[in-house]
Amino acid sequence: MSVWPAWEVRENEGAVTTAWFDVRLEFGDGARVDALAVVSQGRVRLEDVRAQPALSLDDLAVLADWIEDPLAEVSGAGPEPEPEAAGSRRARPAWPRGVEGRRLVAQEYRTAQERGVDPVLAVMCATGHSRRKSLRLIAQARDAGYLTPRHARR
């Protein structure tokens, strides 16, 4: 892994408030990940990621964990977790898997329909997943029988 400074923003007193870093991960099989990371107020955020071959969502979620410690060493400021999030490193809330998760997805979907709002957006907000993943969860809830079929079968 290679980390080098890209640019930084300083306050009037000369203290660095925000710093951007270029990060490169190269793997033995030829895969490569280039990222632009921001360190601000002790937190690491990814602004741009390019990977060859493309990363899965699970790999992308782990990417921040891979680069967090090297960035802290280079920037000189270790990340300070918030008190309520000290035990959790997940960016999105935990969502139950399996039957319980499907049942909750169906419940969110039906509640949104009753309120007249977009049910897919409601599932996205509840789970913290992307639109594609939320649609997949809704389809799984349909297949499990928690929601009515989308189209009438002929």
Side-chain angles (χ1 to χ4, degrees):
M1 178 184 311
S2 304
V3 178
W4 61 95
W7 67 89
E8 57 189 31
V9 175
R10 296 180 179 269
E11 289 183 349
N12 292 339
E13 297 86 35
V16 175
T17 59
T18 305
W20 284 262
F21 294 90
D22 288 315
V23 180
R24 175 171 287 161
L25 290 101
E26 293 188 49
F27 299 93
D29 62 355
R32 189 172 91 187
V33 177
D34 291 315
L36 179 62
V38 179
V39 177
S40 177
Q41 299 174 354
R43 293 185 177 164
V44 175
R45 293 180 180 90
L46 295 175
E47 286 207 352
D48 186 34
V49 176
R50 294 177 189 205
Q52 186 63 33
L55 294 174
S56 69
L57 288 176
D58 292 334
D59 291 339
L60 190 58
V62 174
L63 179 63
D65 292 337
W66 288 345
I67 67 173
E68 185 175 24
D69 291 335
L71 276 173
E73 290 175 16
V74 171
S75 68
E80 299 172 11
E82 295 178 10
E84 68 272 3
S88 173
R89 296 187 66 132
R90 295 179 59 101
R92 62 177 185 251
W95 190 259
R97 296 179 182 261
V99 174
E100 181 65 18
R102 290 183 194 110
R103 189 183 62 74
L104 290 173
V105 163
Q107 182 180 352
E108 286 289 332
Y109 189 91
R110 283 191 304 269
T111 303
Q113 278 184 323
E114 291 168 2
R115 282 195 236 141
V117 297
D118 182 10
V120 177
L121 185 59
V123 171
M124 288 171 60
C125 291
T127 62
H129 290 298
S130 67
R131 184 169 187 84
R132 180 176 288 175
K133 177 68 175 176
S134 296
L135 288 169
R136 188 175 303 130
L137 292 172
I138 292 166
Q140 290 172 354
R142 283 187 200 288
D143 292 344
Y146 292 113
L147 294 170
T148 58
R150 182 76 176 139
H151 302 288
R153 307 270 173 169
R154 296 178 191 226

